[in-house]
Amino acid sequence: PMNQTSSRSHCVFTVGIEAKAPGSSVVRRSKLHLVDLAGSERVGKTGVEGNLLSEARYINLSLHYLEQVITALSEKAEGKRDHIPYRNSFMTQVLRDSLGGNCKTVMIATAHSQDAFMD
């Protein structure tokens, strides 16, 4: 594998927050998702086999489903699509309200810079 110390998994940490002003019946609810996505691997370039190959396939598939949801949301905003495929992946179901709801999203990405891993 490209990263020998990787946990080879995604991690989602969710914090739920509720606030109510004194004397008010209105309750505001918020969620904060902190997400660490496992990196995509080019299995042909890394030469992984066995369990590592299976893990890499599942990681790549879940990242593909996330890409499908983000693409569908973009197309929906342009009026080109109605259905968003959140149910293709457990991760996209968990992150549904943060991907397509009334939310603010920030993404920070890192990329491997070695020429051997670039396409």
Side-chain angles (χ1 to χ4, degrees):
M2 286 175 35
N3 183 350
Q4 297 294 336
T5 59
S6 172
S7 66
R8 309 197 55 75
S9 63
H10 304 308
C11 179
V12 178
F13 182 76
T14 303
V15 178
I17 302 166
E18 289 188 6
K20 182 175 156 185
S24 173
S25 63
V26 176
V27 177
R28 292 182 179 254
R29 291 180 179 86
S30 297
K31 283 185 191 176
L32 172 65
H33 292 294
L34 302 172
V35 181
D36 179 16
L37 297 175
S40 174
E41 284 195 12
R42 304 282 188 239
V43 293
K45 289 186 176 185
T46 58
V48 294
E49 298 175 335
N51 285 343
L52 290 178
L53 177 59
S54 180
E55 289 173 0
R57 284 184 179 148
Y58 283 118
I59 289 167
N60 291 346
L61 185 60
S62 67
L63 292 172
H64 172 71
Y65 289 144
L66 179 60
E67 176 190 15
Q68 282 184 332
V69 166
I70 292 169
T71 299
L73 287 166
S74 175
E75 290 173 354
K76 183 176 183 178
E78 296 171 354
K80 297 178 183 177
R81 178 189 280 247
D82 291 324
H83 175 71
I84 309 298
Y86 292 111
R87 295 174 64 186
N88 287 352
S89 156
F90 180 70
M91 179 175 60
T92 55
Q93 288 181 45
V94 168
L95 299 176
R96 179 181 185 146
D97 53 352
S98 292
L99 293 169
N102 179 17
C103 64
K104 296 194 184 293
T105 303
V106 175
M107 181 177 186
I108 300 170
T110 58
H112 205 291
S113 60
Q114 283 185 341
D115 289 339
F117 298 112
M118 301 299 256
D119 283 339

